Amino acid sequence: MPLVRIDSTGTPPELLDRLGLAVHEALVEAIGIPADDHFQVLTGGASRVVADTGYLGIRRDSGAVMIQVVLRGGRTVEQKKAFYAAVAEKAAAIGVEPRNILITLIENDLADWSFGDGIAQYVQ
Amino acid sequence: MPLVRIDSTGTPPELLDRLGLAVHEALVEAIGIPADDHFQVLTGGASRVVADTGYLGIRRDSGAVMIQVVLRGGRTVEQKKAFYAAVAEKAAAIGVEPRNILITLIENDLADWSFGDGIAQYVQ
Amino acid sequence: MPLVRIDSTGTPPELLDRLGLAVHEALVEAIGIPADDHFQVLTGGASRVVADTGYLGIRRDSGAVMIQVVLRGGRTVEQKKAFYAAVAEKAAAIGVEPRNILITLIENDLADWSFGDGIAQYVQ
């Protein structure tokens, strides 16, 4: 179910695909999403990505990656923390710096999803 | 009010416009949005759209279309179901396969909207 | 913290940057965001932006700009109103018509943010 949106600039298509897969695997491992529930919009050529969070003591290079995940409410803080940590680990493994990865979650409800055929699959 | 965001790859501009209009008409019919409250960001050339929801038994071709709607809270489950069904019907009528249409809703509040001129029109 | 997403068509890069900065300054002044907490995805070339809110009596030219801000819950209606007004004023100062500026807010929680390194900085 989660809808993942990744925005970055100047990311080659192959790396973008691998990054999408890393985020998907992190959702499967940390939040228990089914392995074949893979649902993403990937953008490698946003006009501009700004990521200055200097007030937190985090300095980045120019390769900031914004990851936004929409998912139904109900996951615990511990699950969310495990997800962030898993994304960082898997991103590092494919050469994307964990300090460059920013993640935002947005929660909604079961009735807020239709996966095709005009049906609300979770509230039939 | 609803803000509709449609992301797809390789969709010709004319079809994208017709799809945007189909979603708008579905909002008008199923949720009672005014006909001239039409508010959309359409993207035909996302770098990549992934839509594998095999665990629900839905198989797609390569033309997945992601529709995200931000709207104020308060709509019933029945209104949401009617909206999904209306989108599927209207998409089919213009040649877009209903199995390729994924919809996600995100709810917010009346104070969360400004439609121009720096004013919060719903909470003046 | 707020994640700002600006979508527009045909906006030159320099103007898009100035608009992003205007929104950031409005967040700092009206909502108290730290000046170096600047976190944006800017798109100048969306396939299409539709903004017909005629039912509110607002007429636009073709240059509609959609601004979406994801931020933690808890800001007052007055803060939100001040933010909208500040964006309009700062946009006008760089030549963007306030009637063309549409803003949508989406709220989430402190645990819904990771600003790098796989850590949930707000709930450690």
Side-chain angles (χ1 to χ4, degrees):
Chain A
M1 157 199 53
L3 170 57
V4 173
R5 191 179 292 276
I6 300 181
D7 289 285
S8 58
T9 56
T11 308
E14 190 194 334
L15 180 58
L16 193 62
D17 279 353
R18 295 178 75 183
L19 191 59
L21 202 57
V23 174
H24 176 59
E25 291 172 355
L27 283 169
V28 171
E29 290 176 20
I31 306 207
I33 302 301
D36 57 357
D37 179 8
H38 185 183
F39 191 17
Q40 306 190 325
V41 177
L42 311 182
T43 299
S47 300
R48 183 81 183 271
V49 173
V50 180
D52 169 14
T53 46
Y55 81 110
L56 289 170
I58 301 171
R59 299 288 164 194
R60 273 175 258 276
D61 60 28
S62 61
V65 173
M66 300 284 191
I67 299 172
Q68 181 191 287
V69 183
V70 183
L71 74 175
R72 71 163 173 77
R75 273 62 186 240
T76 65
V77 172
E78 290 314 308
Q79 284 178 302
K80 293 175 181 180
K81 285 183 174 179
F83 169 62
Y84 304 146
V87 171
E89 185 194 318
K90 291 172 193 300
I94 59 170
V96 177
E97 288 271 0
R99 72 192 154 117
N100 282 335
I101 305 257
L102 298 103
I103 306 175
T104 312
L105 308 184
I106 297 171
E107 295 186 336
N108 65 2
D109 293 316
L110 289 177
D112 295 331
W113 297 88
S114 173
F115 298 96
D117 295 328
I119 296 168
Q121 279 84 0
Y122 288 151
V123 292
Q124 284 181 272
Chain B
M1 155 202 53
L3 170 57
V4 173
R5 191 178 292 277
I6 300 181
D7 289 284
S8 59
T9 55
T11 307
E14 191 195 332
L15 180 59
L16 193 62
D17 279 354
R18 296 178 74 185
L19 190 59
L21 203 57
V23 174
H24 176 60
E25 290 171 356
L27 284 169
V28 171
E29 290 175 20
I31 306 207
I33 302 300
D36 58 356
D37 179 7
H38 186 181
F39 191 17
Q40 306 190 326
V41 177
L42 310 182
T43 299
S47 300
R48 183 80 184 272
V49 173
V50 180
D52 170 13
T53 47
Y55 81 110
L56 289 170
I58 301 171
R59 300 287 163 193
R60 273 175 258 276
D61 61 26
S62 61
V65 173
M66 299 285 191
I67 299 173
Q68 180 189 286
V69 183
V70 183
L71 74 175
R72 69 162 174 76
R75 273 64 184 240
T76 65
V77 172
E78 290 314 309
Q79 283 178 303
K80 293 176 181 179
K81 284 183 175 180
F83 169 62
Y84 303 146
V87 171
E89 185 194 317
K90 291 172 192 300
I94 59 171
V96 177
E97 288 271 0
R99 72 191 153 118
N100 282 335
I101 305 257
L102 298 103
I103 307 175
T104 311
L105 308 184
I106 297 171
E107 296 186 337
N108 64 4
D109 293 316
L110 289 176
D112 295 331
W113 296 88
S114 173
F115 298 96
D117 295 329
I119 296 168
Q121 279 85 359
Y122 289 150
V123 293
Q124 284 181 274
Chain C
M1 157 200 51
L3 170 57
V4 173
R5 191 179 293 275
I6 300 180
D7 289 285
S8 59
T9 56
T11 308
E14 191 194 333
L15 181 58
L16 192 62
D17 280 352
R18 295 178 74 184
L19 191 59
L21 202 57
V23 174
H24 176 61
E25 289 171 356
L27 284 169
V28 171
E29 290 176 19
I31 305 206
I33 302 300
D36 57 357
D37 178 8
H38 186 183
F39 191 17
Q40 305 189 325
V41 177
L42 310 181
T43 299
S47 300
R48 183 81 182 273
V49 173
V50 180
D52 170 14
T53 47
Y55 81 110
L56 289 169
I58 301 172
R59 300 287 163 193
R60 272 175 257 276
D61 60 26
S62 61
V65 173
M66 300 283 191
I67 300 173
Q68 180 190 285
V69 183
V70 183
L71 75 175
R72 70 161 173 78
R75 273 64 185 240
T76 66
V77 172
E78 290 315 308
Q79 283 178 303
K80 293 176 181 179
K81 284 183 174 180
F83 169 61
Y84 304 145
V87 171
E89 185 194 318
K90 291 172 193 300
I94 59 170
V96 177
E97 289 271 0
R99 73 192 153 117
N100 282 334
I101 305 256
L102 298 103
I103 307 175
T104 311
L105 308 184
I106 297 171
E107 295 186 337
N108 65 2
D109 294 316
L110 289 176
D112 295 331
W113 296 87
S114 173
F115 298 96
D117 294 329
I119 296 168
Q121 278 85 1
Y122 288 151
V123 292
Q124 285 181 274

